[in-house]
Amino acid sequence: MAVLPFGAVEADLGEFMLGSVAVTPILLESNGQLDASTEDWTSTHIQEVLTNVEVGLDWWVDTLAAKSSIHELSFQIDTTYALDPFETRYEGISRRSNDYTLYVGEFLSSVGFGSGNLESDIRGFNQSQREKLGTDWSFSIFVVPSQNDADGQFAAGGSFSRAFAFAGGLFMVIPSTRPASTYTHETGHMFWARDEYVGGGTYFSRRGYYNTQNLNAADNPTSGFVQQPSIMAAGTLLETAYVNHDSPASTLAMIGWQDSDGDGIFDVLDVPHRLTGTGYLDLETNTYRFIGEATVQTMPNLNSSGMKNDITLNKIREVEVRFDGGQWTTVATPDSYEAALDLSIAVPSGVSQIEIRARDSKTTVVSNTFVGRLERADATLVPGINGFVWIDSNKNGLRDVGEDGVPGWAIEISDAQGNPLNLNGKVEPDDYADGVLASDFRTDLTVRTVGADSDGRAAVFADAAATTGDKLFWGYSVSAQTFFSTWTTSTRRLQVDFSAPTSTVSIDVIAPNSNTFGRLEAYSASGQLLGRATTSRLASGEFETLSISHGQPDIAYIIVGGHMNSSVKLDNFAFGPAVQIASAEKGKFSVSGLPTGSYSVEVTPGIGYRALSSNIAQVSVTAGQALEDVDFGFETSISQWQNTRDPLDVNDDNLISPLDILLIINEINARGVRDLRGSDLSTPPYIDTSGDSIVSALDILRVINFLNTRAGGEAEAGQDGQGEDNLFASSGKADNAIHGAFFQGVSSPPVATSAWDVDEQDDWLTILACDQIDHRA
């Protein structure tokens, strides 16, 4: 079975003329049951038709070969219904052209596609042929025998006299005596080309993946215009183009053949792959490990006809590597649209840098290049802030190979003075009262309904389909004079306009029915499409969060609704870059989409770690550009005043007892709560049980909590002790000593509360209360 082009659905049968195409000629033979049979196929004429089909299709293959050495085009012809013509009750050439519905419908019913909807039936048949032949696209050719007809034309009174076609990979109908060039012309329609002769397509009409204007149309009003030979014209102009294997740029652009930057790759496929991931040198295996993903990207489909899906034929065919700028070598061949990567790459001796990219060897399209330094972990970059948190394992103050970070540490971006940023927000329907959202309900954005059946009003009301809470966005329908919670493909869509452009948008799209698609589009202030996101096929009740993230804050407004004639429901709109994130694999972090400006980056390390210098950095960001190596080094905070054998054994006697508590209390009573770094305090006693290099009530509390959760008067260090819950009751001497030490110099004991508090400015020593120690401290 064929794999659909990336981004396509079954109904996308001919979006641009590249790749492989299934072609099914269906020769019609009248059987005399209804119309008089005036035409009969002969083996010679069947072969003449098949030759014309093949020659007519090859014209496009040869023409492409003369224009591009990169792109490929092939046609796979299934002759099943040509060598054995389909018997029909109708003699097509004797009828008006509009009667095609009779014999085309009759054929489709005979092969299992007889729902009565001719368009959906032919799409279903063509899709089955695409699967059968393993191609990218598919269309059919209905050939009406006409050898015995006087003029080889359909009867008068129809829309067409000779050949005609239904564009976008559907079908053509051709009298059998037409030449090969007719098949060439009608094949152009299969991929959205328009007629250019008088009475055909007009100058102002558009079509194709780029929505190209029909500039070579005969009615072009431009002063001095001279129509050029074109395969989509007629008469001499068509024949000249056919002989010369050429057509005007606008004609070829309609079928996807347009190379705007002159690099040899047609625009529709000239879209770089996306490579993301993290890499590091694995010291145990001396290989470079890269974990990430490569995926193809698509150009937005601007076609004014068809399904309007964003499609590519590119694949991730190879993953390539090079060291220190040397030759690229292939290390993986996924041959897929998307590829999860987990690479272990042998590292030659003496190199310092590795580069990794994804590539399509057929179109030469490549991805962004990952650059990794062997002495540290690196990651693919995003426009904005890129960095790592790393841990100085050997505490030498240097980032050595293998000293990477860990995921899950909190990172916050604030302004240069450390104040929170006001760059993002959300519109959650549950936060607002039922009814219309006024134009001034917020100062940072407006929400409205757009489309042919809307008067602009948007509202929030309850709906059981909500992804959170119980409310959704609703839009007003002029025709129904009421609000609906469903948003359509064109007549009723949600638009959000921002007071200041943003870089990131997202919204929940919910399917009220099966086989549903939703689409989110982001635009600049000038109306340029900046990004587009489309849901996967959703079943009833399913939802998907669509998001678009641009490298810089230039999204002025967004429009969201159904796609491919679907209706969707909408909830939870959010916008703006994430400024509170967490470190990822190997300590990587990135913040994209920030406006140009100065920022403060603060890392909150995990428990037991402290910054080598500072956990805050001041950075300057240029919108749309990547700032890299915003790195933070940390070390474990276990200090020289902590017992590495057992942190709670303060006097290192292999026992954890009230005496360990007393030693810390005496130290605090003598010298106070303080940072021990820089002091000449000898060990033992190891009074820093927490390992943060600060002696405080926390060090006492850790021992107390341990003893109170163990039974017995004394516990062996490193072992689980046995004894009573009320430890201090078993040792009156220790209890008195602790009580005296704690409140030495204090006028009255503290009152027990439900929490403990450390305050170096207070004359209470440290612990105001702690339920865990039965208030005996």
Side-chain angles (χ1 to χ4, degrees), residues 351-540:
V351 299
S352 60
Q353 178 180 280
I354 185 174
E355 293 174 274
I356 303 173
R357 70 181 185 183
R359 186 171 183 265
D360 186 333
S361 55
K362 286 191 175 182
T363 61
T364 71
V365 172
V366 298
S367 70
N368 55 299
T369 299
F370 165 82
V371 179
R373 292 158 286 187
L374 299 187
E375 71 272 13
R376 53 165 290 168
D378 277 304
T380 48
L381 301 177
V382 302
I385 302 173
N386 299 266
F388 276 82
V389 295
W390 60 278
I391 298 170
D392 184 15
S393 300
N394 60 9
K395 296 190 176 183
N396 66 352
L398 303 175
R399 184 173 184 178
D400 301 311
V401 176
E403 290 187 333
D404 303 318
V406 294
W409 287 10
I411 301 166
E412 182 171 5
I413 313 300
S414 55
D415 68 15
Q417 290 72 44
N419 301 312
L421 292 171
N422 186 26
L423 296 177
N424 50 26
K426 66 176 182 177
V427 183
E428 162 56 69
D430 292 287
D431 294 340
Y432 300 93
D434 286 358
V436 176
L437 295 171
S439 59
D440 59 351
F441 86 111
R442 290 177 65 133
T443 59
D444 54 351
L445 55 80
T446 59
V447 177
R448 57 194 173 112
T449 306
V450 295
D453 190 34
S454 170
D455 67 355
R457 284 182 288 172
V460 296
F461 293 108
D463 191 293
T467 55
T468 58
D470 60 4
K471 293 182 182 180
L472 292 177
F473 294 105
W474 292 56
Y476 190 75
S477 166
V478 173
S479 60
Q481 296 187 23
T482 189
F483 284 92
F484 288 99
S485 63
T486 50
W487 302 83
T488 68
T489 300
S490 60
T491 58
R492 187 172 58 255
R493 297 194 291 169
L494 181 70
Q495 178 166 328
V496 180
D497 298 85
F498 302 103
S499 301
T502 188
S503 60
T504 304
V505 292
S506 68
I507 193 167
D508 289 350
V509 176
I510 309 155
N513 306 295
S514 59
N515 200 33
T516 291
F517 296 86
R519 170 166 283 181
L520 168 67
E521 295 178 329
Y523 294 87
S524 69
S526 63
Q528 177 187 2
L529 179 63
L530 299 176
R532 174 186 281 172
T534 305
T535 67
S536 56
R537 191 192 307 267
L538 300 176
S540 179

Side-chain angles (χ1 to χ4, degrees), residues 306-326:
M307 302 295 107
K308 303 178 178 64
N309 287 312
D310 305 334
I311 300 172
T312 187
L313 300 179
N314 288 333
K315 287 187 176 182
I316 309 296
R317 300 186 191 275
E318 300 89 13
V319 179
E320 299 179 326
V321 171
R322 69 178 180 180
F323 292 93
D324 290 349

Side-chain angles (χ1 to χ4, degrees), residues 9 39 511 513 597:
V9 297
E39 302 284 344
N513 306 295

Side-chain angles (χ1 to χ4, degrees), residues 476-668:
Y476 190 75
S477 166
V478 173
S479 60
Q481 296 187 23
T482 189
F483 284 92
F484 288 99
S485 63
T486 50
W487 302 83
T488 68
T489 300
S490 60
T491 58
R492 187 172 58 255
R493 297 194 291 169
L494 181 70
Q495 178 166 328
V496 180
D497 298 85
F498 302 103
S499 301
T502 188
S503 60
T504 304
V505 292
S506 68
I507 193 167
D508 289 350
V509 176
I510 309 155
N513 306 295
S514 59
N515 200 33
T516 291
F517 296 86
R519 170 166 283 181
L520 168 67
E521 295 178 329
Y523 294 87
S524 69
S526 63
Q528 177 187 2
L529 179 63
L530 299 176
R532 174 186 281 172
T534 305
T535 67
S536 56
R537 191 192 307 267
L538 300 176
S540 179
E542 290 184 336
F543 81 94
E544 186 174 326
T545 300
L546 289 180
S547 61
I548 297 173
S549 183
H550 219 228
Q552 53 188 320
D554 52 4
I555 299 175
Y557 65 95
I558 62 101
I559 298 177
V560 60
H563 177 53
M564 293 197 301
N565 298 318
S566 297
S567 293
V568 297
K569 298 185 177 185
L570 304 173
D571 197 2
N572 293 331
F573 172 69
F575 64 96
V579 294
Q580 293 179 326
I581 61 172
S583 61
E585 179 76 16
K586 297 295 178 180
K588 168 196 172 185
F589 71 90
S590 60
V591 180
S592 63
L594 293 170
T596 297
S598 297
Y599 299 92
S600 176
V601 184
E602 181 175 2
V603 178
T604 301
I607 296 174
Y609 294 89
R610 64 183 174 210
L612 291 180
S613 56
S614 175
N615 66 326
I616 300 176
Q618 301 296 321
V619 299
S620 295
V621 172
T622 300
Q625 296 185 14
L627 176 65
E628 58 182 315
D629 293 346
V630 181
D631 298 336
F632 296 84
F634 294 85
E635 65 179 357
T636 54
S637 58
I638 297 175
S639 67
Q640 67 186 82
W641 298 277
Q642 184 184 58
N643 190 341
T644 57
R645 182 181 54 77
D646 191 315
L648 302 185
D649 186 9
V650 176
N651 63 356
D652 199 28
D653 64 353
N654 290 312
L655 297 173
I656 301 173
S657 68
L659 180 57
D660 295 304
I661 300 172
L662 186 60
L663 290 169
I664 305 173
I665 291 173
N666 288 342
E667 178 63 32
I668 291 176

